[in-house]
Amino acid sequence: MYKKTMDCIGHNSGALVGLGAVTAAAAATYYLATRADPVIPPVDLQNQSVILKDGSRCSHFMKDEKLMEVLYEDVKTTYDCFQRGLRVSNNGPCLGARTGRAGEYEWLSYQQVYDRANAFGSGLLEIGLQASNEEFIGFYSMNMIEYVIAEQAGIMFSMVSVPLYDTLGTTACSFIINQIGITHVICDKAEKAKTLMSNIDKTQTLKCIVLIEKVTAELEVLAKEAHVEIKEFSAVETLGQTNLKKPKPPTPTDLATICYTSGTTGDPKGVMLSHQNLISNMSAVALIALKGVTVTPQDVHLSYLPMAHVFERGMQIVAFMHGAQVGFSRGDVKLLTEDLQALRPTIFITVPRLLNRMYDKILSSVQGSKLKTTLLNLAMYSKTREVQRGVVRRDSIWDHLVFKKVQQTVGGRVKIIITGSAPLGSKVLDFVRASFGCLVLEGYGQTEAAAGITFNVPGEIESGHVGCPLPCNLVKVVDVPEMDYYATDGKGEICAKGPNVFLGYYKNEEKTSEAKDENGWLHTGDIGEWLPNGALRIIDRKKNIFKLAQGEYVAAEKIENVYMRSEYVAQAFVEGDSLKPYLMGVMVPDIEVVPAWAAKEGLPTSMDELCTCQKLKDVILQDIINIGKTMGLKSFEQVKDIILHPEPFSMDNNLLTPTFKNKRPNLRKFFKSQISKLYEKHEATP
């Protein structure tokens, strides 16, 4: 948008041009008076990784040519991590929640959290668990203080945590509990306890539910009928206080957690991560982030991404390692902005979906106003030029005039944003870097690598890639001949090797051997390309590929990501049939853009009505085809026709995984009849 600034000004009225010129002159004067120094990248941005003899690459940040295992010598397990936080924080605030009368955050200190964890862990031993890395505790709860206390309690006594996604259905929960043989589960709400007890015939190993809420008489009756003990969290903690045990901390090689993947296909897989896996990865992330910002006990992180996701748990490890503060959201995405403004975090980790929505809202807010559009264009042009010089700030005239409200949506104090989990579009990343006035780093990885594999270097000014290898792992690309990708061209399946790579999938040697070869290389299933500057770009996905009738391989996720670049499209699902020569698609129109378009066209603005509108369908189909051509999609990768669907894919309707990825089998089943009709329609057309 900002690249069209001069064109935009040129098409406005003379008065508006005059206003723009005056504003630009004032901005230039202010800029010269407050000119900021650029961030100096810690490595040469044109030479971001080191090529080894075998063709793999490593980080310039590696110590003594050895893969990084720890950032601090006194932190080798997650137990050590919290102990260091206890020391360096000087017993400052640790965990906070919005329980105050006016919605303020109230805090427990590091010592209070430690003491409560010690008591709760001792209570777990009293009710039958063992201080052993062969003891598993299930967690079926939203993010909250008691979750972390229980997790730290388990760590103190070498137990293994097994998080269950807060939104997992009963089938997945039963599968996980049965596969591991979990006997004790921590639950936050009565409804979840009822769900577990109603399926006790499918989870016969479950013996005890520890409920964070108060246990009612109704629950006691249900528990008795299900032959399950139900205990209040506070009661277990009180029991432990009167029978305190000395911690039995884990060793680095001990199993720390089994983190189940969300399961886009088939049963979820239990990723076994050791303390060494977690600490080496988060040490590497912290090392690079610290090149751009300093993390101190005064820093604050908002915990809103699922605790069952290794991305969120990793961030808490970094926070505890530095004695920083972790405040919890209320668990409702609709209330997230309020939580951000109440907590005013300095560290913000997020997923592209949220940043995309912020970007779309800003654009829609200026539509219809030439003045606002011109100012936004000027602001983006100026701030983007600063970013290109490596300048990171939020005190320019454009910050005060245009971007202050944007920055206030996340509290106004954020000094670093870290995003991952899925690709972030270049235009959105450029916008976030310019408008938020803070360090913005994008990473790439997966649960099997304990979160990160590559990471942006602080001071990076280019978008469209995910940085260089983290110093805890080597990275290489290997041939994928069926998709015409070859390592000799710098393209192929991304593989990683290092102390962060997982131990294996729990009780699933077949899947483990598919993901991790005999030499210890993790095969990610993602396709990457090495750029001339030594950074990695994600260009495709090996998984979820299928053949069309003529034998061409199609990667559906790649096409979906391309189509979601359309301003009209919020979500996309692309489907194919090996007996058909072309693809079909389902597009969820963007609720911020499409009704505004419809109003201008004199059409109904109801999303249900619009999704039956042929004119809108034609506009969206033409737009995504044009974008596909621009992005280099081949003709057979373009959809033949589309369906417009008014309701967003979500976890509630079971069409998205908890990590916001398309739940392909469910989408395929949900839209089967509609897509079949599309195929029939085109087959009947001469």
Side-chain angles (χ1 to χ4, degrees):
M1 174 193 285
Y2 49 87
K3 292 179 181 178
K4 300 178 181 177
T5 301
M6 301 313 296
D7 290 339
C8 180
I9 294 175
H11 287 95
N12 287 325
S13 67
L16 189 57
V17 173
L19 176 62
V22 170
T23 305
T29 302
Y30 186 89
Y31 170 75
L32 291 173
T34 61
R35 186 179 176 95
D37 293 327
V39 173
I40 300 175
V43 299
D44 180 2
L45 293 179
Q46 299 307 311
N47 182 28
Q48 295 193 27
S49 59
V50 178
I51 304 176
L52 303 178
K53 290 180 180 179
D54 64 356
S56 64
R57 299 193 182 220
C58 67
S59 169
H60 283 286
F61 299 105
M62 279 170 45
K63 295 183 178 180
D64 303 321
E65 299 184 355
K66 294 181 180 179
L67 290 173
M68 183 177 188
E69 294 187 10
V70 296
L71 177 60
Y72 303 112
E73 286 299 324
D74 57 349
V75 179
K76 296 182 179 179
T77 67
T78 56
Y79 177 81
D80 299 337
C81 175
F82 195 87
Q83 294 301 297
R84 187 177 193 276
L86 184 61
R87 292 193 300 273
V88 303
S89 70
N90 195 26
N91 195 30
C94 178
L95 302 179
R98 292 186 73 181
T99 55
R101 294 178 185 174
E104 301 95 344
Y105 272 81
E106 294 186 353
W107 295 88
L108 295 178
S109 71
Y110 267 81
Q111 188 63 55
Q112 287 175 312
V113 173
Y114 177 85
D115 290 343
R116 288 189 61 181
N118 193 6
F120 188 77
S122 299
L124 291 177
L125 298 182
E126 288 295 315
I127 64 173
L129 292 177
Q130 302 297 313
S132 165
N133 68 345
E134 295 183 357
E135 190 73 85
F136 303 94
I137 312 174
F139 289 81
Y140 195 23
S141 168
M142 63 182 284
N143 302 17
M144 60 198 316
I145 286 175
E146 288 81 2
Y147 190 127
V148 175
I149 287 173
E151 185 176 49
Q152 290 298 321
I155 291 168
M156 274 186 186
F157 294 99
S158 297
M159 299 177 194
V160 180
S161 65
V162 185
L164 307 173
Y165 272 110
D166 182 44
T167 52
L168 276 179
T170 56
T171 301
C173 284
S174 298
F175 174 82
I176 294 169
I177 292 170
N178 281 335
Q179 187 180 56
I180 293 180
I182 294 173
T183 58
H184 291 64
V185 174
I186 314 293
C187 269
D188 58 346
K189 298 182 181 298
E191 288 306 312
K192 290 177 189 165
K194 290 178 182 178
T195 297
L196 291 176
M197 289 187 288
S198 67
N199 285 274
I200 195 63
D201 58 322
K202 299 177 182 177
T203 53
Q204 295 182 6
T205 63
L206 182 61
K207 303 300 180 189
C208 179
I209 295 172
V210 179
L211 188 65
I212 294 171
E213 285 187 344
K214 185 176 179 60
V215 175
T216 62
E218 177 193 7
L219 285 174
E220 289 179 339
V221 171
L222 291 174
K224 186 175 182 180
E225 292 174 352
H227 303 289
V228 172
E229 285 188 278
I230 188 162
K231 299 178 180 294
E232 285 187 12
F233 189 99
S234 58
V236 175
E237 189 176 340
T238 300
L239 178 64
Q241 284 174 339
T242 57
N243 297 276
L244 276 180
K245 304 291 192 299
K246 184 178 179 180
K248 181 187 175 184
T251 67
T253 57
D254 281 347
L255 185 60
T257 186
I258 300 180
C259 193
Y260 275 79
T261 59
S262 49
T264 53
T265 57
D267 290 325
K269 300 188 292 290
V271 178
M272 296 188 291
L273 296 171
S274 68
H275 289 270
Q276 181 188 50
N277 292 150
L278 294 169
I279 295 301
S280 64
N281 196 250
M282 289 306 114
S283 290
V285 170
L287 173 69
I288 295 182
L290 289 173
K291 302 292 183 181
V293 299
T294 301
V295 180
T296 72
Q298 284 69 52
D299 282 305
V300 185
H301 158 61
L302 177 70
S303 173
Y304 80 95
L305 294 176
M307 287 279 286
H309 196 313
V310 73
F311 191 19
E312 169 61 33
R313 296 173 81 196
M315 189 60 243
Q316 290 191 26
I317 287 173
V318 173
F320 295 150
M321 194 184 296
H322 295 92
Q325 306 163 41
V326 177
F328 294 94
S329 75
R330 287 169 291 174
D332 186 341
V333 175
K334 295 177 183 177
L335 303 176
L336 182 59
T337 299
E338 292 180 20
D339 293 334
L340 284 163
Q341 292 170 348
L343 184 65
R344 302 185 66 226
T346 60
I347 301 168
F348 184 45
I349 70 165
T350 187
V351 291
R353 185 175 178 81
L354 182 62
L355 296 177
N356 289 336
R357 300 306 297 177
M358 289 181 175
Y359 174 75
D360 290 340
K361 284 184 179 179
I362 294 298
L363 293 190
S364 64
S365 71
V366 302
Q367 285 184 349
S369 170
K370 292 182 178 179
L371 175 59
K372 289 181 179 180
T373 300
T374 299
L375 286 176
L376 179 60
N377 283 340
L378 285 168
M380 280 301 301
Y381 179 74
S382 178
K383 286 298 296 289
T384 299
R385 289 187 66 186
E386 286 198 346
V387 170
Q388 290 169 347
R389 287 202 315 111
V391 172
V392 178
R393 64 167 176 163
R394 52 172 171 263
D395 60 357
S396 74
I397 191 170
W398 299 115
D399 293 304
H400 293 296
L401 287 177
V402 179
F403 296 129
K404 193 173 187 65
K405 287 185 178 180
V406 179
Q407 294 157 9
Q408 288 299 328
T409 60
V410 292
R413 290 198 307 167
V414 172
K415 64 184 187 182
I416 183 170
I417 293 175
I418 299 176
T419 179
S421 178
L424 183 64
S426 296
K427 63 180 180 181
V428 180
L429 181 56
D430 290 340
F431 173 81
V432 172
R433 282 178 170 159
S435 63
F436 280 88
C438 65
L439 193 64
V440 181
L441 302 178
E442 185 176 11
Y444 158 76
Q446 56 184 210
T447 306
E448 289 84 348
I453 292 174
T454 66
F455 204 59
N456 281 156
V457 173
E460 176 61 79
I461 59 175
E462 297 294 332
S463 58
H465 65 77
V466 290
C468 56
L470 281 165
C472 59
N473 56 211
L474 306 176
V475 180
K476 68 178 180 179
V477 295
V478 298
D479 295 346
V480 187
E482 67 271 23
M483 298 179 71
D484 202 27
Y485 292 124
Y486 297 94
T488 53
D489 299 326
K491 301 177 182 180
E493 183 181 10
I494 301 166
C495 298
K497 181 180 181 180
N500 59 315
V501 172
F502 76 139
L503 303 178
Y505 296 117
Y506 188 77
K507 290 185 178 179
N508 198 332
E509 293 183 7
E510 180 183 352
K511 292 295 183 183
T512 298
S513 62
E514 289 177 8
K516 186 177 179 182
D517 65 31
E518 64 275 9
N519 295 315
W521 286 96
L522 168 65
H523 293 248
T524 65
D526 293 311
I527 306 297
E529 175 186 17
W530 290 116
L531 300 179
N533 65 355
L536 186 69
R537 178 165 63 193
I538 311 301
I539 60 173
D540 212 332
R541 184 133 174 103
K542 186 178 177 183
K543 297 177 182 178
N544 297 324
I545 64 174
F546 46 82
K547 276 186 180 181
L548 295 179
Q550 299 97 325
E552 303 100 333
Y553 282 92
V554 172
E557 288 184 15
K558 178 185 78 170
I559 301 168
E560 290 160 359
N561 287 331
V562 169
Y563 286 166
M564 283 191 290
R565 291 172 178 261
S566 168
E567 64 177 324
Y568 302 105
V569 177
Q571 292 170 302
F573 166 59
V574 171
E575 177 66 316
D577 187 324
S578 60
L579 300 177
K580 311 294 183 185
Y582 40 75
L583 301 168
M584 297 298 182
V586 178
M587 305 294 138
V588 177
D590 193 304
I591 197 169
E592 301 287 345
V593 174
V594 169
W597 169 87
K600 290 180 181 178
E601 296 291 325
L603 298 171
T605 56
S606 159
M607 195 61 76
D608 286 327
E609 290 180 271
L610 283 171
C611 285
T612 65
C613 174
Q614 185 64 40
K615 186 173 183 179
L616 175 61
K617 177 178 173 179
D618 292 342
V619 167
I620 293 179
L621 181 58
Q622 188 59 57
D623 194 50
I624 62 176
I625 294 297
N626 291 340
I627 290 172
K629 289 179 181 177
T630 302
M631 296 302 297
L633 291 185
K634 298 170 184 174
S635 59
F636 64 82
E637 292 178 301
Q638 297 270 34
V639 293
K640 181 79 169 178
D641 204 346
I642 59 172
I643 299 159
L644 299 185
H645 185 63
E647 182 185 357
F649 310 154
S650 68
M651 290 176 283
D652 290 336
N653 58 31
N654 207 24
L655 298 179
L656 276 189
T657 73
T659 51
F660 307 110
K661 295 176 183 176
N662 281 351
K663 215 164 189 178
R664 197 160 298 278
N666 293 25
L667 285 162
R668 184 173 290 127
K669 182 178 180 181
F670 188 87
F671 292 107
K672 182 178 179 180
S673 62
Q674 291 171 273
I675 289 174
S676 294
K677 289 178 182 177
L678 280 187
Y679 276 118
E680 290 170 6
K681 167 188 166 184
H682 287 277
E683 286 172 355
T685 303

